[in-house]
Amino acid sequence: MTDGPTGGIAGISRREFMARAGATAALIGGSVAGGISLWQRKHFVPGFQEERGLQLPSFALAQDKALPSMAIAHGTDHDSTIRAAIGALGGMGRFIQKGDVVMIKPNVAFDRPPALTATTHPDALRAVARLVREAGASKILVADNPINSPAGCFLKSGLRDVANELNLDLLYPEAGRFSPLELDGEILRHWTFFHEPFKRATKVIGVAPCKDHNLCHASMTMKNWYGLLGGRRNQFHQHIHSIVSDFALMMKPTLVVLDGMNVLMKNGPTGGRLSDVKRVGTVVAGTDMVAVDSYGYSNLMGRDLAELTYIHKAHDRGLGNKNWKDANFKETHA
Amino acid sequence: MKIRNARRISQGFFFTLFLFFAVVSDLRYMKGYPISLFLELDPLVAVATAITTHSVYKGLLWSLVLLVPTLLLGRIFCNWICPYGTLHQITGWLFGKGRAEERERIEANRYRSIYQVKYLILIGMIAAAFFGSLQIGLLDPICLFHRSMTTAILPGLNLAFPSTFYVRQYFHVGAWVIGFLLLALVAMNIVIPRFFCRVLCPLGAFLGATSKFSLWRIDRDPHKCIDCDLCLKNCEGASDPHTQLRKSECFVCFNCIEDCPTDAISFKLLPDLQREISAPAVPARRAVVGGLLGAAFFGFGRASGASDRNYEKKVIRPPGSVEEKEFLERCIKCDQCIRVCPTNVLQPSFLEAGLEGIWTPILNMKLGYCELNCTLCGQACPTGAIQRITIEEKTGVGAAAEQGPVRLGTAFYDHGRCLPWSMETPCVVCEEVCPTSPKAIYSREVTITRRDGKPITLRRPYVDPSLCIGCGICEHECPVTDEAAIRVTAIGETRSRDRRLLMDGGNTGAVRDLSRRER
């Protein structure tokens, strides 16, 4: 190597030497450190990675044996009948305190008008939301992950109008609002879950219509939680009764309301003709979904509870009591 | 020994080593050779996959072995190691300007502004990588050369000389595209010497950008220089050693040092940077355009939906493949998996997996099937697009029994084409070859009345989706060979939660009877 007049290391200043050699050394050091810190040493088996997910807290209140756990109200319109049912339970103040953030879960699965009873009736949502507001809730959230297009479902079902009217926070099932859920269910163990409303909610109320279902016989308050899940839900039909009973494990609501003012008696869960709907005029509210659904199936739909496998699964697993007559219940008229 | 000869020996060694690995990537010769060594040395592979996956997969850490000397010496890879560069150097010398008259060679080796295209390509590919679309493999020289060898050159040569590379002839869908692309790139050496290396190579661009920091550099002493331009005569990189050296273009071939009649050029530690152009000459606006094109490639490619809900049923990935979007983050289209596959089932896709998935591996059951006790593709994959799973994990036995086997897809019957189902003819070859135990294909005996009135008893086959692993041997062996009566489609693959078929992943013991458990 020949050194010219300005060549060689001697030809550059100490400062430049430090800067240039330092930059190179830093890059070498950075590359080695970066490579080693990012190094994936071990393989994994795609699809079989260990899954972790959130565990949902219970929103249920401590049991109060003195107060009824279930109320059955008969009446002619949603508002007064729902008020009567909640009143029989001791009023909304029993469940909702001042400052609570309340998530109301309607069933908005389909893009259908209210009269077809495939979705939660807007009058039912309005009645429950008003009671919650009167009890002092600071915020009311409404969310569902429908089967049909979400915007169409909330519009056609009339629930969007109620949300606007009463200033409820309507949460659409946007992709970023789901997180993985972990559950020790019979079949449901890891699934993507509509988590967003539950990040804020302190109380949860399910408001479900009472509907015939082609596969699992009936969709009531337990089946309503189906709308909180995302992903490939069409697989649920492979083990529908296990899944529905798992919902009773997944969600411990503060209160459920089964709207039996009108009942979809056939061609469920979608219905489609007014002749599929029967006027019954009853609302059931309670803290035990299994008891409420048992009443709904045998008394509102008038069917044999023995065939409703998911109720028996949930009962046998200790997730509720299918013998609603054993519960502390109250029957009233609006 | 002249340094030029040392370089030639190095090039010859690595070129031979590359060919050696390509030839011995065959079940017959396998002895644990590091067949993916060149891909693992390739820092562009390591850096681009680190961008997409935030990890450096297993052997990719070897890229530091190349990155560090580049940071010290410059692009020595390009003219001392790269087998694809050697191919272009040799072919350029044979058919191009390599043996032309001295003046013409000097002119052919001057820097041209078109050489900045490779930086735009690199910027575009890195931009796409930041979005999660790994496209460096389209033009990375090692990936490109491996792919060309695997899918076009070796099978093509084997047609001319049967049984040299394969026991049974291999076929690769779309081999002609890959083969002609290689020929076209080689032919461009006639127009511009080392056209690929100077104009297109994203690895060269990456190493060129890295060279900015290298400590040893070519230095010209202007007091000794007589401006004869002879240093350009054999300049491989067209890096202008006769004036201000373009360090990012310099292949460190040392030809200029040996060609200089006055010893004005030397390779020096920390020379004066005033006498060179250290960084790639890419105007900022063009760099932005390159980045935008890369982003557009991602956006338009991903918006086509091929990796999402509109996925193609034919995109059946090799066993151990990661979920499709992550697959696009990891697969470098080197097609090493295709090379080592012992049944020829692995094929380079064209547009089946979308624009982003060009030349990524998919299974074609017409040409082969997935061998039950084989995980070679995962062993060969340098980036973990196909994870290095074990036989136990693939087949779901031993410690992996609870999670069950790795499924590639699910087989479905096409009753209209099936002999026992619609042609009164006994068959069930599919059941015979089904490799799982118990078999995923079972049959039921039926007695039917034939067209001529006589009864015939035959077995009609069914698929048990909880047992089917989608290996495709049923489809491969089906006597209805043009379009088999049983065909595997991608649904049911375990790597993707969204593409599973059965709620419980097909694990028959999955539904737990919790009511019997103690509470």
Side-chain angles (χ1 to χ4, degrees), chain B residues 291-505:
Chain B
L292 287 177
L293 282 175
F297 188 99
F298 163 81
F300 299 154
R302 200 56 64 98
S304 306
S307 58
D308 212 292
R309 274 175 294 174
N310 192 32
Y311 72 104
E312 167 62 49
K313 65 184 175 188
K314 287 181 186 163
V315 180
I316 303 165
R317 296 295 191 187
S321 292
V322 294
E323 189 276 326
E324 184 66 15
K325 287 194 181 70
E326 194 184 346
F327 196 88
L328 295 175
E329 292 175 352
R330 284 183 179 265
C331 181
I332 51 172
K333 314 159 193 281
C334 65
D335 293 357
Q336 282 282 74
C337 50
I338 295 177
R339 177 70 190 103
V340 297
C341 178
T343 74
N344 196 201
V345 69
L346 288 184
Q347 298 293 320
S349 60
F350 191 57
L351 288 172
E352 295 90 336
L355 179 68
E356 296 175 83
I358 291 177
W359 298 327
T360 56
I362 55 175
L363 276 74
N364 180 326
M365 310 306 184
K366 241 176 161 173
L367 289 165
Y369 63 94
C370 187
E371 185 66 57
L372 183 69
N373 289 307
C374 172
T375 57
L376 279 176
C377 46
Q379 308 298 316
C381 180
T383 63
I386 312 168
Q387 289 282 312
R388 211 165 290 175
I389 58 169
T390 63
I391 299 284
E392 287 72 24
E393 287 164 337
K394 183 187 176 192
T395 53
V397 299
E402 198 185 340
Q403 63 195 23
V406 170
R407 300 166 202 278
L408 313 180
T410 309
F412 292 85
Y413 277 103
D414 185 343
H415 284 183
R417 301 180 70 83
C418 180
L419 300 180
W421 274 105
S422 67
M423 298 186 181
E424 304 177 348
T425 309
C427 182
V428 292
V429 175
C430 43
E431 184 182 20
E432 179 193 21
V433 295
C434 180
T436 65
S437 179
K439 283 181 183 297
I441 296 178
Y442 61 97
S443 57
R444 289 190 176 130
E445 194 173 273
V446 286
T447 303
I448 55 169
T449 307
R450 284 200 325 208
R451 193 183 181 195
D452 59 11
K454 291 179 188 149
I456 178 175
T457 298
L458 41 73
R459 303 198 68 88
R460 284 178 169 166
Y462 298 80
V463 175
D464 181 341
S466 70
L467 294 171
C468 180
I469 55 172
C471 74
I473 194 168
C474 49
E475 179 177 346
H476 187 65
E477 301 296 336
C478 177
V480 192
T481 53
D482 59 342
E483 186 176 32
I486 181 164
R487 297 189 295 276
V488 175
T489 61
I491 183 74
E493 50 182 6
T494 42
R495 69 185 180 123
S496 165
R497 307 232 159 244
D498 288 340
R499 299 185 191 177
R500 290 187 179 179
L501 179 61
L502 300 176
M503 167 96 203
D504 42 26

Side-chain angles (χ1 to χ4, degrees), chain B residues 125-387:
Chain B
M125 286 172 171
I126 295 293
F130 272 105
F131 287 104
S133 185
L134 188 65
Q135 297 302 332
I136 55 146
L138 290 173
L139 283 174
D140 178 277
I142 307 298
C143 300
L144 198 163
F145 204 13
H146 263 296
R147 179 169 69 238
S148 308
M149 292 297 288
T150 293
T151 63
I153 296 176
L154 293 181
L157 285 173
N158 200 70
L159 284 170
F161 310 102
S163 304
T164 44
F165 301 112
Y166 306 98
V167 177
R168 262 190 223 144
Q169 177 68 41
Y170 269 36
F171 300 96
H172 293 293
V173 177
W176 63 274
V177 178
I178 296 169
F180 273 116
L181 184 65
L182 180 80
L183 279 191
L185 291 173
V186 165
M188 280 305 288
N189 288 311
I190 299 168
V191 184
I192 294 176
R194 300 200 66 164
F195 169 81
F196 178 86
C197 312
R198 293 179 185 177
V199 181
L200 297 179
C201 183
L203 175 58
F206 178 82
L207 298 175
T210 317
S211 300
K212 183 176 190 296
F213 302 95
S214 55
L215 299 184
W216 276 270
R217 315 169 85 94
I218 295 282
D219 186 44
R220 182 181 62 104
D221 181 349
H223 301 283
K224 288 185 184 172
C225 180
I226 54 169
D227 294 330
C228 65
D229 288 356
L230 280 176
C231 50
L232 286 174
K233 189 173 73 177
N234 293 304
C235 179
E236 290 294 332
S239 59
D240 283 356
H242 64 296
T243 166
Q244 281 184 297
L245 178 87
R246 292 173 183 270
K247 179 58 183 170
S248 58
E249 306 302 306
C250 174
F251 293 176
V252 203
C253 66
F254 295 126
N255 285 342
C256 54
I257 295 178
E258 298 201 350
D259 288 340
C260 179
T262 63
D263 284 341
I265 302 179
S266 59
F267 193 55
K268 249 193 219 167
L269 175 63
L270 293 171
D272 187 354
L273 292 180
Q274 300 296 319
R275 292 200 289 264
E276 63 162 61
I277 297 167
S278 299
V282 183
R285 287 187 194 189
R286 280 187 206 163
V288 169
V289 168
L292 287 177
L293 282 175
F297 188 99
F298 163 81
F300 299 154
R302 200 56 64 98
S304 306
S307 58
D308 212 292
R309 274 175 294 174
N310 192 32
Y311 72 104
E312 167 62 49
K313 65 184 175 188
K314 287 181 186 163
V315 180
I316 303 165
R317 296 295 191 187
S321 292
V322 294
E323 189 276 326
E324 184 66 15
K325 287 194 181 70
E326 194 184 346
F327 196 88
L328 295 175
E329 292 175 352
R330 284 183 179 265
C331 181
I332 51 172
K333 314 159 193 281
C334 65
D335 293 357
Q336 282 282 74
C337 50
I338 295 177
R339 177 70 190 103
V340 297
C341 178
T343 74
N344 196 201
V345 69
L346 288 184
Q347 298 293 320
S349 60
F350 191 57
L351 288 172
E352 295 90 336
L355 179 68
E356 296 175 83
I358 291 177
W359 298 327
T360 56
I362 55 175
L363 276 74
N364 180 326
M365 310 306 184
K366 241 176 161 173
L367 289 165
Y369 63 94
C370 187
E371 185 66 57
L372 183 69
N373 289 307
C374 172
T375 57
L376 279 176
C377 46
Q379 308 298 316
C381 180
T383 63
I386 312 168
Q387 289 282 312

Side-chain angles (χ1 to χ4, degrees), chain B residues 42-54:
Chain B
D42 186 334
L44 183 57
V45 170
V47 168
T49 54
I51 290 171
T52 53
T53 68
H54 315 300

Side-chain angles (χ1 to χ4, degrees), chain B residues 38-157:
Chain B
F38 285 91
L39 292 158
E40 291 176 338
L41 283 174
D42 186 334
L44 183 57
V45 170
V47 168
T49 54
I51 290 171
T52 53
T53 68
H54 315 300
S55 69
V56 173
Y57 184 68
K58 289 184 182 282
L60 293 184
L61 200 64
W62 283 112
S63 61
L64 289 172
V65 171
L66 194 57
L67 194 58
V68 170
T70 304
L71 284 166
L72 292 172
L73 305 170
R75 290 171 68 176
I76 48 159
F77 175 78
C78 299
N79 230 85
W80 288 71
I81 298 170
C82 181
Y84 198 53
T86 304
L87 174 75
H88 286 292
Q89 190 176 349
I90 293 172
T91 51
W93 176 73
L94 280 174
F95 307 110
K97 296 192 168 64
R99 294 182 300 171
E101 181 264 331
E102 190 173 272
R103 215 58 238 170
E104 194 186 345
R105 286 165 65 187
I106 289 173
E107 293 310 313
N109 290 334
R110 288 189 195 279
Y111 176 77
R112 304 184 195 189
S113 56
I114 193 183
Y115 297 166
Q116 64 184 266
V117 167
K118 60 178 172 292
Y119 296 103
L120 304 181
I121 290 173
L122 175 69
I123 289 166
M125 286 172 171
I126 295 293
F130 272 105
F131 287 104
S133 185
L134 188 65
Q135 297 302 332
I136 55 146
L138 290 173
L139 283 174
D140 178 277
I142 307 298
C143 300
L144 198 163
F145 204 13
H146 263 296
R147 179 169 69 238
S148 308
M149 292 297 288
T150 293
T151 63
I153 296 176
L154 293 181
L157 285 173

